[in-house]
Amino acid sequence: MFTINLKGKSNPKDKNLVKLEMVLFKTGYTRVTKVLSITGKLKEWDNKSQCFKSKTGESFLKNKSLSDLRLQYQNVAEEWENEGRNWSPVEWTRYFDEEALKQEECKVITVLQMIDQLIDRFSNQQRFKNGKLVTSNSNAREYKFLKGSLTAFTKQKYGKAFSSYFFRDITEKFLIDYALYLQMRGAEKGNKGAVVGRLKKFYAVFNHAEKKEMPGVNTKLFRCVELKMKHGKFVPKTISHEIMLKIEKLDRCKFSILENLHLDLFLFSYYSGGMANVDVAHLKWNNIVNNQFEYERIKIAREAKMPVVDKAKAIIDKYKDKCFEDYVLPIFTQKHISEQQQHDRVERLSYKVNKTLEKVRKLLKYPTKITWYSARGTFITRMLKEGYNTSDVGAFAGNTATTIDRHYYRPIFNEETRKEINKII
C-alpha cells in the first residue's frame, strides 16, 4: 500500500506564503517528504482538500500542476508494483530528479541488471584465436542460463519477480534455498542440476559487483553453499590402449559413411594429442606448421603443440578434398558461417559421434561408456605410461602439468600391469 499527500505550512522565509511538501508513504517504510517549488498565499491553502481554495486563474494552474505531479508519482509506484519490484519511498521521491537518478543508477542496480550487464559484456567481447576473431558467447550463454534459473526459482519459491531483488536482498537462506531448488530440479530430470556451475556463476556476479563497489554486496554469504560449489572427484573418460587398437582394427563395413567419419574424428583426436572436439572442428591448415599442430584451444587460453603423427596425417589426407574453405576436416560447410551456427554444428556432431561410439562399445562388449572426450584422457594416460613427463604431455594437449596430474591421468590396471608389477616385486 502507498499514499501521496500534500501538506502546507507557513514558509519560514515569508510567513504569508505556504511551504508545500509532498509526503510519500509505503507500508513498512517511514514517510519521506519532498519540498515542492510551487507556493502561494498561506491563507488560500487548504490542507484538508490539499489544494488552493481561490478560484483565480493562477490558483487553477497551481492546482493542476499539483494534480499532475501526484499523478506522475502514482503512475511510477503502480508500475513498480506491477513489476513486483522491491522499491522504497526514497527511490520514489528521487525518480524525477535527473541528477539524483543518474547517481542512483551508477551506484545501485538490481542483481538482474548486473547479470544483464555481464551478458552484454561477454556477448560483445572479442578475442583473437588461431588467426580468427571469436566472441565469448559461451560465457554469455552461461549467464543467460543463470538468469533463467534464478527467475524461475524466485517465482516458484517466493512468488516474486527476480527483477525486484537487489544485492542486499540475497541472504544465506536465499542461497541455500536456491541450491536445493537446483538439486531437486536435477533429480527430476535425472542429472545433477548444474548446481556447481550455477552457484559459481552467481558468485562471479557478486564478485563483479563487489569490484564495482555496489552497495549491499557480500561475497562471504557463499560460504554457506561452499561445499555445493566444489566439483566431485574428476574421473577422466579413459579407455585402455588395447581397446584403442581394437577400435582401429574394426571392420568398417559394419558402419555407414557418416559413422566412418565419426570413427575417424574420434581417432584423429587421439592421434593429435587428445585434441578436443571443438578444436578438431576449428583446425585449419595454418595450424599445421613444420609438421606440427600449433593452435590455441577454443575453450581456454592455452596453446597446444603436437607433432603430426602418420596416423593423423592419413586421416587428413583421406578428407583433404572434401573440406570447406581452409578447414582441415569436413565438419563445417557453407551452412556454418556464424559463430552460433558453428557452435550448434559441433554440439550436434558430438552427439552423433558419441552415438556411433556406443555402437562400437556394444560390438566390443566393452563395459565402460566411450565418448569423443575419451580420446583426450586415453592419449594423456598412454603418453605418461610410456615415460613422457607431464610438461611434455601438457604441451601436446594444451594443458598445464598440474592439470594433467590432477584431472586426466588415470592408471590403467589390467593383467599386463599385474604381471609387470609381479616381476618388480
Side-chain angles (χ1 to χ4, degrees):
M1 176 184 173
F2 62 88
T3 59
I4 306 171
N5 289 301
L6 301 175
K7 298 292 182 181
K9 58 184 178 182
S10 176
N11 192 322
K13 296 181 180 180
D14 188 342
K15 293 185 178 182
N16 292 319
L17 297 178
V18 65
K19 179 182 179 181
L20 292 179
E21 293 179 339
M22 182 165 60
V23 183
L24 304 177
F25 170 77
K26 181 186 176 184
T27 303
Y29 293 84
T30 57
R31 288 175 172 78
V32 178
T33 60
K34 181 179 180 67
V35 177
L36 305 180
S37 58
I38 300 171
T39 188
K41 293 181 180 179
L42 178 61
K43 64 181 181 180
E44 292 181 354
W45 175 258
D46 182 16
N47 270 325
K48 187 175 181 180
S49 60
Q50 299 184 33
C51 65
F52 289 99
K53 295 180 290 185
S54 174
K55 296 183 180 180
T56 62
E58 183 181 357
S59 293
F60 174 81
L61 291 175
K62 289 178 180 178
N63 286 335
K64 187 176 185 309
S65 295
L66 292 170
S67 177
D68 290 344
L69 188 62
R70 290 181 68 166
L71 183 60
Q72 287 175 356
Y73 277 87
Q74 181 177 328
N75 288 339
V76 170
E78 288 176 349
E79 182 180 346
W80 285 348
E81 286 292 298
N82 290 334
E83 291 176 353
R85 180 174 172 176
N86 184 22
W87 56 275
S88 69
V90 173
E91 296 173 75
W92 194 17
T93 191
R94 293 179 181 176
Y95 187 83
F96 293 102
D97 186 335
E98 292 184 3
E99 290 303 316
L101 179 61
K102 287 178 182 178
Q103 292 178 1
E104 195 71 16
E105 287 181 339
C106 290
K107 291 181 180 178
V108 183
I109 62 174
T110 64
V111 182
L112 177 61
Q113 288 172 321
M114 180 61 73
I115 294 175
D116 282 335
Q117 281 187 12
L118 289 168
I119 291 172
D120 183 64
R121 169 188 164 187
F122 286 112
S123 295
N124 296 289
Q125 181 174 291
Q126 292 184 320
R127 297 165 293 156
F128 200 69
K129 278 184 177 282
N130 304 315
K132 178 182 177 181
L133 274 177
V134 296
T135 66
S136 297
N137 276 332
S138 58
N139 212 353
R141 194 180 302 112
E142 289 300 316
Y143 282 107
K144 288 178 183 177
F145 290 150
L146 174 67
K147 175 182 174 180
S149 174
L150 286 166
T151 299
F153 163 67
T154 56
K155 183 178 180 180
Q156 180 179 316
K157 179 67 178 179
Y158 306 121
K160 293 176 65 177
F162 181 55
S163 59
S164 67
Y165 282 81
F166 289 86
F167 283 94
R168 64 173 179 266
D169 299 318
I170 307 300
T171 62
E172 286 188 354
K173 184 179 185 307
F174 182 101
L175 292 175
I176 293 170
D177 287 346
Y178 179 51
L180 180 60
Y181 164 81
L182 292 172
Q183 288 177 308
M184 292 178 67
R185 187 191 64 173
E188 291 172 0
K189 296 183 177 181
N191 57 47
K192 295 182 179 180
V195 179
V196 176
R198 296 290 179 270
L199 289 177
K200 282 194 169 184
K201 272 289 178 280
F202 201 14
Y203 178 81
V205 173
F206 268 67
N207 197 39
H208 181 73
E210 187 175 59
K211 289 178 181 177
K212 296 188 74 172
E213 299 182 350
M214 192 67 54
V217 176
N218 182 9
T219 55
K220 293 179 181 178
L221 287 172
F222 284 82
R223 289 176 180 172
C224 68
V225 289
E226 195 171 20
L227 292 177
K228 298 183 186 298
M229 292 171 66
K230 291 182 178 179
H231 285 285
K233 187 176 181 181
F234 185 85
V235 179
K237 295 177 173 63
T238 304
I239 58 179
S240 70
H241 182 60
E242 290 73 23
I243 293 297
M244 288 300 297
L245 292 175
K246 288 182 179 180
I247 293 175
E248 287 179 329
K249 296 174 182 178
L250 278 171
D251 181 2
R252 293 291 189 99
C253 294
K254 297 179 180 179
F255 297 88
S256 67
I257 294 174
L258 278 177
E259 287 174 334
N260 270 283
L261 171 62
H262 298 160
L263 288 174
D264 286 334
L265 292 175
F266 172 73
L267 290 171
F268 181 83
S269 287
Y270 177 63
Y271 301 148
S272 60
M275 192 181 293
N277 55 357
V278 66
D279 295 316
V280 170
H282 286 274
L283 192 68
K284 292 188 174 183
W285 286 104
N286 61 7
N287 294 128
I288 301 178
V289 182
N290 297 325
N291 211 27
Q292 180 171 263
F293 295 119
E294 295 183 6
Y295 63 97
E296 185 178 0
R297 294 183 60 195
I298 298 295
K299 291 187 176 180
I300 62 173
R302 298 289 304 182
E303 289 187 350
K305 292 184 179 181
M306 171 68 188
V308 181
V309 300
D310 292 343
K311 290 181 178 180
K313 189 176 185 303
I315 292 175
I316 292 173
D317 291 340
K318 181 179 179 180
Y319 294 102
K320 65 180 180 182
D321 297 325
K322 301 177 182 180
C323 301
F324 176 64
E325 292 186 342
D326 56 344
Y327 290 102
V328 174
L329 292 166
I331 294 176
F332 297 136
T333 68
Q334 64 273 14
K335 296 179 181 179
H336 313 113
I337 304 300
S338 72
E339 193 174 337
Q340 186 60 48
Q341 289 170 334
Q342 291 178 345
H343 172 270
D344 293 343
R345 168 62 175 158
V346 174
E347 289 287 306
R348 290 192 299 270
L349 180 62
S350 297
Y351 171 78
K352 292 176 181 177
V353 170
N354 290 341
K355 195 172 180 181
T356 299
L357 291 172
E358 175 60 16
K359 180 178 177 179
V360 169
R361 185 192 71 79
K362 290 178 179 178
L363 281 172
L364 298 178
K365 297 180 180 179
Y366 187 66
T368 308
K369 185 176 181 180
I370 304 173
T371 67
W372 194 347
Y373 194 66
S374 302
R376 187 170 183 79
T378 302
F379 168 82
I380 291 170
T381 300
R382 179 66 180 169
M383 291 296 101
L384 292 174
K385 189 174 181 181
E386 288 298 313
Y388 284 84
N389 64 53
T390 52
S391 295
D392 289 336
V393 178
F396 295 154
N399 272 120
T400 63
T402 303
T403 302
I404 293 295
D405 279 333
R406 184 180 300 169
H407 293 307
Y408 288 104
Y409 176 62
R410 186 179 73 177
I412 297 295
F413 299 113
N414 52 27
E415 184 60 21
E416 183 183 343
T417 305
R418 190 189 71 80
K419 291 178 181 178
E420 290 175 357
I421 297 175
N422 229 15
K423 293 176 183 178
I424 296 171
I425 62 174

